Amino acid sequence: MKFSGVKGMNDVLPALIGRWQEMEAVAREVFALYGYREVRTPEVEHAAVFARGVGEATDIVNKEMYVFEDKGEEMLALRPEGTAGTVRAFVEHGCHVEGPQKWYYVGAMFRRERPQKGRYRLFHQIGCEAFGIAEPAVDAEQIALLDDYLARMGVRAELRLNSVGDASCRPAYLADLRAWLSSRRDDLCPDCNDRIERNPLRVLDCKVESCQPVLDRAPRLLERLCPSCAAHFESVKGALDALGVAYHLDTRLVRGLDYYVRTAYEFTSSALGAQSAVAGGGRYDPLVETLGGPPTPGIGFALGQERLALILESAGRLVPERRPAIFFVTADAEGVREALRRAAELRKAGIACDIDPRGGKMKAQFRQAERVGARHAIVLGGNEVASGRAKLKDMATREETEVDLAGLVGRLRA
Ligand code: HAM
């Protein structure tokens, strides 16, 4: 019986893991520069955390969440995103007493979506959340962080920016939008029609070609913001200008989660096709309170690692794996024993090396040395052990030199 992986859930094999290690290492480095600290929360939460946090009316909760009953006890869910669980942890541990907090996470998320390029059922996010600061400066600083990160990854993505208002200006707009959309039902696709009542804002997000001319003329929330949301948005734009971060206003950018207020943003790349967002986020000031905490503003984003990997792949960016400095080719059992001892010595000194303890034909062992990308090979057997000297072969030039086995570490360091 041969198994295959679950649909929409991919393996990352060692040959391609370099990109993933790089994206995580650079994230840790950059995020620390901006004062973000790592948090790890479970992949599983009470389903209610997402229903309340992300919103019952969203596709993510309503259609895509993996929910299960834990042996007749309680309803749990595989996390479809990282923000709600992070906020749950923030509230549960009373972290607000320590003042503003900037956190980041790296991990697996699950959504039962229809798999296609850039859209999977298991995917990985690198996300940032900043708690306790309502000022627009933190919005701009966080967007600049993401811009900085993408630049360091060698990725060019377009920043799309919008404001989705708040409880004081959105409801009136939504009522108008709903009425406006209802009067154009015949020109809109079935999905749009479905959403007009339930989630009219999401209609603006529709990608169906024939809906575009209609939706481009829809009333714009950006023109209907209340004075405080408008002032907030102006400040965010001003701070981005001051930081030299370029953006495009996108009045139809609404995001697929219910918790957003005010600033909403996405970085998109043409290398991605239909699923063009490599990262997205925004402000979610009411969320901490919604999940039982004290009023605490927040803003965050998450970047999709699979999508970033696709961009790096399309740019032909290969991250080289660490190659062993030495590959020990063994002639006999004595050679294997000596190779193990010398390999331990080298590794203690921080020098990567490898050995094929199967022994066997030397030609095959040299081929293995080539396959793992070793810089040098050393042949070890009874003769070499007796003389304490061996041949060091440069795998690229095929040149051979004699080395003293006892002085191997020093020689390689030099
Ligand atoms: P999101 O826009 O749903 O936001 O996801 C963020 C990113 O995750 C997307 O831009 C995309 O790169 C990636 N992503 C989402 N779904 C999939 C999928 N099915 N397959 C592959 N990649 C995917 C959030 O999740 C929010 N929690 C972001 C946030 C954090 N907002 C505030 N703080």
Side-chain angles (χ1 to χ4, degrees):
M1 179 83 190
K2 201 164 139 191
F3 295 100
S4 53
V6 176
K7 186 172 151 195
M9 304 196 177
N10 302 313
D11 304 306
V12 183
L13 296 179
L16 291 180
I17 206 72
R19 283 190 196 123
W20 288 70
Q21 290 174 337
E22 191 192 18
M23 56 177 112
E24 287 159 22
V26 174
R28 288 177 204 288
E29 195 182 306
V30 174
F31 295 175
L33 292 176
Y34 287 78
Y36 282 75
R37 295 146 72 215
E38 183 171 358
V39 63
R40 298 193 189 190
T41 65
E43 282 79 0
V44 178
E45 296 275 350
H46 294 287
V49 170
F50 304 111
R52 295 221 63 197
V54 177
E56 219 116 30
T58 60
D59 284 352
I60 294 178
V61 169
N62 193 23
K63 296 191 197 153
E64 299 164 2
M65 200 155 71
Y66 287 95
V67 182
F68 60 98
E69 202 178 284
D70 187 10
K71 296 238 159 85
E73 280 180 27
E74 46 196 344
M75 294 310 286
L76 302 179
L78 299 185
R79 62 179 179 193
E81 58 100 53
T83 309
T86 302
V87 169
R88 192 269 311 142
F90 180 85
V91 171
E92 183 171 343
H93 301 286
C95 299
H96 63 279
V97 298
E98 292 163 38
Q101 302 274 321
K102 294 195 276 191
W103 292 1
Y104 75 87
Y105 50 84
V106 178
M109 310 290 158
F110 305 82
R111 293 183 195 174
R112 203 172 184 292
E113 301 203 72
R114 201 155 29 82
Q116 62 180 89
K117 181 185 168 193
R119 189 204 263 164
Y120 311 102
R121 290 182 169 181
L122 161 65
F123 59 99
H124 297 79
Q125 286 186 342
I126 299 180
C128 283
E129 313 289 354
F131 299 113
I133 302 175
E135 278 65 23
V138 78
D139 308 32
E141 185 194 42
Q142 186 178 81
I143 294 171
L145 168 156
L146 182 50
D147 186 62
D148 187 357
Y149 172 73
L150 289 169
R152 287 185 203 225
M153 289 302 297
V155 165
R156 283 191 8 189
E158 188 179 61
L159 167 58
R160 292 138 54 89
L161 186 68
N162 194 16
S163 173
V164 293
D166 68 4
S168 64
C169 46
R170 197 160 49 199
Y173 166 78
L174 288 183
D176 290 354
L177 178 64
R178 200 175 271 131
W180 191 91
L181 293 170
S182 294
S183 67
R184 285 158 183 85
R185 277 189 183 280
D186 295 346
D187 303 327
L188 293 168
C189 71
D191 263 357
C192 283
N193 272 284
D194 273 357
R195 282 178 169 152
I196 291 175
E197 284 313 311
R198 209 166 23 97
N199 202 343
L201 214 50
R202 280 290 276 173
V203 175
L204 298 178
D205 206 25
C206 177
K207 302 286 189 295
V208 172
E209 197 62 44
S210 58
C211 297
Q212 302 312 307
V214 184
L215 298 178
D216 279 339
R217 283 184 285 115
R220 296 172 174 181
L221 179 48
L222 207 51
E223 288 157 9
R224 307 269 299 270
L225 295 178
C226 59
S228 58
C229 284
H232 186 96
F233 195 56
E234 284 309 308
S235 299
V236 172
K237 288 190 295 178
L240 287 174
D241 290 338
L243 287 167
V245 177
Y247 54 83
H248 293 259
L249 289 187
D250 180 352
T251 54
R252 283 178 49 193
L253 175 71
V254 293
R255 313 272 307 125
L257 305 88
D258 274 356
Y259 47 59
Y260 293 113
V261 293
R262 299 191 166 174
T263 313
Y265 63 99
E266 278 185 0
F267 279 82
T268 57
S269 162
S270 54
L272 287 174
Q275 305 302 318
S276 65
V278 63
R283 190 163 267 289
Y284 48 80
D285 294 342
L287 183 59
V288 174
E289 231 179 325
T290 305
L291 292 178
T296 308
I299 177 166
F301 72 81
L303 168 136
Q305 290 189 261
E306 280 77 2
R307 293 195 191 169
L308 181 53
L310 282 172
I311 298 176
L312 297 175
E313 186 188 319
S314 73
R317 267 272 295 291
L318 276 175
V319 178
E321 289 180 77
R322 183 166 176 179
R323 295 157 52 193
I326 293 282
F327 192 94
F328 291 102
V329 171
T330 56
D332 50 31
E334 219 175 318
V336 173
R337 269 197 304 277
E338 179 69 5
L340 281 176
R341 219 173 24 242
R342 294 295 171 195
E345 229 171 70
L346 294 190
R347 288 165 180 158
K348 212 180 241 168
I351 300 169
C353 55
D354 212 343
I355 165 177
D356 185 348
R358 293 173 308 173
K361 287 212 179 78
M362 294 230 189
K363 207 165 153 197
Q365 294 190 54
F366 274 110
R367 223 177 296 127
Q368 180 64 5
E370 238 160 53
R371 227 176 276 136
V372 299
R375 275 173 246 273
H376 295 93
I378 289 184
V379 179
L380 290 181
N383 293 341
E384 285 75 15
V385 174
S387 68
R389 297 184 69 75
K391 285 215 175 78
L392 181 73
K393 179 172 175 180
D394 186 312
M395 293 297 290
T397 62
R398 315 255 152 204
E399 235 169 80
E400 288 189 346
T401 44
E402 275 241 319
V403 283
D404 203 359
L405 287 175
L408 199 53
V409 168
R411 168 79 184 261
L412 290 173
R413 280 216 173 114

